[in-house]
Amino acid sequence: GTLPVARGRRMATAAQHRVFAPRVSRASPARRPHRVVAARAAAPAAPTGAWNLDGCPDGIILSLARRLEAEWTRLPNVRDAPCAPELKSVDATAPDGDPATRIRIENLCLQTDAFRKMHLEVAWGLGGLEVLHCVIYPWAEVAAPIFAADLVAFGGRVTLCIADASPCADDLSLPRQYVDASNALRKSMLASCPAIEPRPLPDWGVAILSPEACVCVGPPKEDFPAQTQTSAFVKYLESLHGVHLLLATKIGEGYGGGTGARARAQRRFCEKQLLNDKTKRVLERSMGVALTDRYMREVLFDVTANTPTGKDARCLGLPTERFL
């Protein structure tokens, strides 16, 4: 009665599945630089959480992004998490000017007293690609897993969905509250859509995914345009997300083996994600090598040995009256 999750296969991330964008011919060594422009002028007085989704196609991904944004901006003492302006908003095209290589990326990066970084990426372009990528990293001294979710669509049809509470314990265990919640939510999803189709995961995901909470779905062509499977999955994603926001500070210090161990688990999560060379190659075509490397290491998967964990680091950014 539960959805099987294939262990021993790699995690399928939204960034990885950018490789399914329509192929473009390899350009000869570029004489012109990659065209990367600020998609939005930097404004020092911009409100907390400001981003620009103008031009993003209407559909499941945009509407889900707006709902998650609304949930985040209602959290207590929410503020901007650090993010370089040239990485927060990207509009990039390959040097040959091929419009099929243009990509727009917008990032919402927030922070609370429980979560060091709440990252929501929406990307579109590359001839019809749409991506939603979400990762919520708790502060390492908060005994909670990482929430991670991705949706990928082409021309409005969702082809990949994944959501997980990624463990911050060496044995890949989750707190009992998360296990009970994810089991109940998965049963509800399958009851509402018995035809939902599981999708295998890449091999290196075995080191970072939860065998109990991770759900990966590959809706078939027949699911479009009704997108019944996608809608059932999105309900699971949003419900698991709500559980994470509710439970993250209520687990107790024992989970994960302490601050240092949880920090290492978060670092392992990022290191495994960064093994995805296909992501780099696709982004490099539009953004160039240097900016792609910075984007992946500073925005998507940014936990390193130097990532702050102390309580003093929680003062980064200032809350605004908009969220008080």
Side-chain angles (χ1 to χ4, degrees), residues 149-294:
D150 295 282
L151 269 76
V152 179
F154 298 94
R157 181 175 80 84
V158 175
T159 58
L160 171 72
C161 316
I162 186 167
D164 189 28
S166 183
C168 283
D170 287 339
D171 62 359
L172 292 185
S173 64
L174 286 175
R176 174 50 52 186
Q177 300 97 314
Y178 278 82
V179 174
D180 292 344
S182 63
N183 284 341
L185 294 173
R186 194 184 319 217
K187 288 178 181 177
S188 176
M189 177 185 68
L190 289 170
S192 67
C193 186
I196 205 160
E197 181 177 309
R199 181 167 178 157
L201 303 169
D203 285 341
W204 47 267
V206 69
I208 57 176
L209 292 176
S210 166
E212 296 162 310
C214 183
V215 170
C216 185
V217 177
K221 292 181 180 178
E222 295 74 22
D223 194 51
F224 188 77
Q227 306 214 87
T228 305
Q229 292 189 22
T230 300
S231 297
F233 170 86
V234 167
K235 185 174 180 181
Y236 176 83
L237 183 160
E238 290 190 84
S239 299
L240 186 64
H241 169 266
V243 165
H244 185 59
L245 297 186
L246 180 66
L247 291 181
T249 57
K250 297 177 171 61
I251 300 304
E253 286 302 312
Y255 174 69
T259 297
R262 289 189 294 266
R264 289 191 298 272
Q266 291 194 17
R267 192 159 70 245
R268 181 178 66 237
F269 174 87
C270 291
E271 289 169 350
K272 294 297 181 182
Q273 297 279 12
L274 288 169
L275 291 176
N276 186 0
D277 287 335
K278 292 181 180 178
T279 303
K280 291 182 182 179
R281 287 198 296 269
V282 172
L283 291 179
E284 284 172 0
R285 176 79 172 103
S286 300
M287 296 169 60
V289 173
L291 192 62
T292 293
D293 186 69
R294 283 191 62 206

Side-chain angles (χ1 to χ4, degrees), residues 7-309:
R7 299 190 64 187
R9 303 204 175 171
R10 298 189 184 181
M11 181 176 185
T13 66
Q16 174 186 352
H17 285 269
R18 292 187 180 96
V19 299
F20 294 133
R23 291 182 179 273
V24 293
S25 59
R26 273 187 190 277
S28 56
R31 291 190 173 91
R32 288 173 288 174
H34 288 78
R35 187 177 68 83
V36 181
V37 300
R40 180 184 61 247
T48 301
W51 61 340
N52 178 14
L53 296 180
D54 292 347
C56 181
D58 287 333
I60 286 178
I61 283 179
L62 179 60
S63 60
L64 175 59
R66 288 300 192 194
R67 292 196 301 274
L68 293 176
E69 176 189 20
E71 289 292 322
W72 293 5
T73 55
R74 286 196 290 264
L75 294 173
N77 200 26
V78 66
R79 60 261 185 185
D80 283 315
C83 186
E86 68 273 18
L87 301 178
K88 189 173 188 296
S89 185
V90 174
D91 184 351
T93 306
D96 60 12
D98 184 347
T101 67
R102 185 187 179 195
I103 189 167
R104 281 279 289 109
I105 307 175
E106 285 290 324
N107 295 283
L108 181 66
C109 298
L110 300 179
Q111 180 184 101
T112 72
D113 293 341
F115 303 115
R116 179 190 64 83
K117 183 175 181 179
M118 306 178 73
H119 175 219
L120 184 57
E121 175 203 64
V122 177
W124 64 97
L126 299 180
L129 176 71
E130 299 168 54
V131 172
L132 180 144
H133 169 76
C134 176
V135 181
I136 301 177
Y137 299 96
W139 292 99
E141 61 268 37
V142 174
I146 301 166
F147 177 81
D150 295 282
L151 269 76
V152 179
F154 298 94
R157 181 175 80 84
V158 175
T159 58
L160 171 72
C161 316
I162 186 167
D164 189 28
S166 183
C168 283
D170 287 339
D171 62 359
L172 292 185
S173 64
L174 286 175
R176 174 50 52 186
Q177 300 97 314
Y178 278 82
V179 174
D180 292 344
S182 63
N183 284 341
L185 294 173
R186 194 184 319 217
K187 288 178 181 177
S188 176
M189 177 185 68
L190 289 170
S192 67
C193 186
I196 205 160
E197 181 177 309
R199 181 167 178 157
L201 303 169
D203 285 341
W204 47 267
V206 69
I208 57 176
L209 292 176
S210 166
E212 296 162 310
C214 183
V215 170
C216 185
V217 177
K221 292 181 180 178
E222 295 74 22
D223 194 51
F224 188 77
Q227 306 214 87
T228 305
Q229 292 189 22
T230 300
S231 297
F233 170 86
V234 167
K235 185 174 180 181
Y236 176 83
L237 183 160
E238 290 190 84
S239 299
L240 186 64
H241 169 266
V243 165
H244 185 59
L245 297 186
L246 180 66
L247 291 181
T249 57
K250 297 177 171 61
I251 300 304
E253 286 302 312
Y255 174 69
T259 297
R262 289 189 294 266
R264 289 191 298 272
Q266 291 194 17
R267 192 159 70 245
R268 181 178 66 237
F269 174 87
C270 291
E271 289 169 350
K272 294 297 181 182
Q273 297 279 12
L274 288 169
L275 291 176
N276 186 0
D277 287 335
K278 292 181 180 178
T279 303
K280 291 182 182 179
R281 287 198 296 269
V282 172
L283 291 179
E284 284 172 0
R285 176 79 172 103
S286 300
M287 296 169 60
V289 173
L291 192 62
T292 293
D293 186 69
R294 283 191 62 206
Y295 183 74
M296 293 188 67
R297 295 180 181 277
E298 296 180 27
V299 182
L300 293 180
F301 309 112
D302 68 339
V303 182
T304 69
N306 297 320
T307 298
T309 60

